[in-house]
Amino acid sequence: MCDEPGGAEEVRAATPREAPGPAVDPIALQPVDAVEVTVLVDNFFDGLLTGGERVRRPRLGSGAVVQAAQFEGGATLPGLVAEHGFAALVTVRSGDQSTTVLFDSGQSPDAMARNANALGIGLGDVHSVVLSHGHFDHVGGLAGLTGRRGVRALPMVVHPLIWTRRRLAVPGQDALELPTLSQRALADEGYQVIERREPSLLLDGRVLITGEVDRTTEFERGMPPPHQAWTGTGWQHDPLVLDDQALVVHVRDRGLVVLTGCGHAGAVNIVRHASRLTGVPRLHALIGGLHLSGPAFEPIIPPTVAAFADLAPDLLAPGHCTGWRAQHALAAGQPDAWVQSSSGTTYHLTAA
């Protein structure tokens, strides 16, 4: 969310220490038979993209017609919404049991719901909500979701620092304070908020929420100085976005499927952390934002691409804030794995 360079030494000094070796308290993440990830909101939409065995694309013109007086018949096909934000439905299946979790909700109040309606997806079966972090482009679509379920209590897993006030103070520009998520509003809306710094297991141990991510690479150093947080007495540089967390599923005999919102902890850090927590070395798929856009982050594209050559995912679908330079580099480095992300895309990943 911020493109200004600088502050590398300060960020390095603030970064948590390495945690080499296996996790002291490993997570017993239960393997699943399949996981289906539907991207409800992303920065990009292309109605002409084609799918395949693992990737399903929405038809051009998906959804109900809308009124438009300039057309014969007074109607047109609206298509899906793309915006600077991310939201995904994650459905895990074990045997004949399937359960769905919502991971983030996009930026605007209506994009996620509109796209879900266009795709014919009901949100009433959402079991719980996971928020990757507190930036407003990941939490904007939460209003009204609980009412779609017909009950008042909808569990929501967040990091305790998700309520942090933040702003962008770019030199030469007026500081822009970002919308801050309201704990009271979420409670009034009907969410049962669960705050966890540590890893969490959902759905009978079939979904892992990483909690805070170990920062172990030398190159993923976080946000530049214009990204600031309110301490209670003043604004200070917030390089780490410590509330950043990822969602992880283990597909039997395939490996880990990792979802990131923005990946502020660093894509490589996140994957290594998930592997260390679970003891599963194989990365099957990575889906979501990798935050490699802009001059502050483009210098780390080459080492990120090199690291993914070693991680060798079967599917790599970077979206949201990854940036076009990183997309091209990752596509060139992982031509058999890389897939263009787009609003409405569904990834269907099954056990071997």
Side-chain angles (χ1 to χ4, degrees):
M1 293 186 61
C2 187
D3 290 343
E4 293 296 317
E9 293 301 323
E10 178 184 348
V11 174
R12 187 181 301 111
T15 300
R17 67 184 185 277
E18 286 194 31
V24 174
D25 187 16
I27 302 296
L29 180 60
Q30 299 299 314
V32 302
D33 296 324
V35 58
E36 187 171 274
V37 179
T38 298
V39 177
L40 292 179
V41 176
D42 206 343
N43 288 37
F44 181 80
F45 173 68
D46 183 346
L48 300 178
L49 290 172
T50 57
E53 183 180 351
R54 296 183 303 183
V55 181
R56 186 169 68 245
R57 306 288 194 182
R59 278 191 322 167
L60 184 65
S62 294
V65 298
V66 297
Q67 292 184 350
Q70 70 270 34
F71 294 100
E72 294 287 348
T76 188
L77 301 171
L80 298 185
V81 174
E83 66 175 9
H84 184 80
F86 188 76
L89 282 179
V90 183
T91 299
V92 297
R93 179 173 60 81
S94 295
D96 58 359
Q97 182 180 7
S98 294
T99 315
T100 299
V101 174
L102 176 66
F103 183 70
D104 288 352
S105 66
Q107 180 183 103
S108 66
D110 59 350
M112 180 181 73
R114 173 177 162 177
N115 285 350
N117 288 337
L119 294 167
I121 295 174
L123 298 176
D125 293 331
V126 171
H127 172 277
S128 51
V129 177
V130 177
L131 297 182
S132 64
H133 64 299
H135 281 154
F136 70 103
D137 48 327
H138 295 259
V139 301
L142 291 173
L145 179 62
T146 55
R148 294 169 182 266
R149 300 175 75 250
V151 296
R152 288 292 296 167
L154 181 59
M156 172 184 287
V157 180
V158 304
H159 186 284
L161 294 179
I162 200 170
W163 322 110
T164 302
R165 286 177 59 194
R166 292 184 168 112
R167 72 175 188 175
L168 300 179
V170 178
Q173 301 179 18
D174 293 336
L176 173 65
E177 184 164 351
L178 306 178
T180 302
L181 194 60
S182 168
Q183 189 169 8
R184 176 181 295 177
L186 290 181
D188 290 344
E189 184 75 15
Y191 291 100
Q192 179 189 356
V193 177
I194 303 164
E195 297 184 0
R196 291 275 295 176
R197 291 179 180 268
E198 301 82 8
S200 302
L201 284 172
L202 305 179
L203 311 187
D204 297 324
R206 294 176 292 151
V207 170
L208 166 67
I209 312 305
T210 62
E212 288 183 20
V213 175
D214 290 336
R215 317 297 173 98
T216 58
T217 67
E218 294 182 358
F219 55 90
E220 294 172 312
R221 298 171 181 170
M223 300 290 279
H227 185 263
Q228 299 176 352
W230 179 253
T231 65
T233 57
W235 294 98
Q236 70 175 19
H237 182 199
D238 177 26
L240 298 180
V241 194
L242 278 175
D243 46 318
D244 186 77
Q245 55 185 0
L247 183 150
V248 184
V249 179
H250 180 196
V251 178
R252 182 177 287 106
D253 300 324
R254 297 285 194 186
L256 298 180
V257 175
V258 178
L259 267 74
T260 62
C262 271
H264 286 298
V268 180
N269 280 331
I270 291 168
V271 172
R272 290 177 178 174
H273 184 69
S275 179
R276 179 173 173 269
L277 283 178
T278 61
V280 179
R282 182 86 176 96
L283 175 64
H284 183 41
L286 177 66
I287 301 168
L290 306 189
H291 215 294
L292 295 170
S293 181
F297 298 95
E298 288 174 359
I300 73 170
I301 292 174
T304 301
V305 173
F308 274 98
D310 293 331
L311 293 169
D314 298 309
L315 184 141
L316 179 60
H320 182 38
C321 51
T322 301
W324 71 269
R325 292 185 188 275
Q327 291 281 15
H328 282 268
L330 289 165
Q334 296 285 311
D336 295 328
W338 182 86
V339 175
Q340 173 66 64
S341 184
S342 178
S343 290
T345 299
T346 296
Y347 304 97
H348 188 66
L349 306 167
T350 60

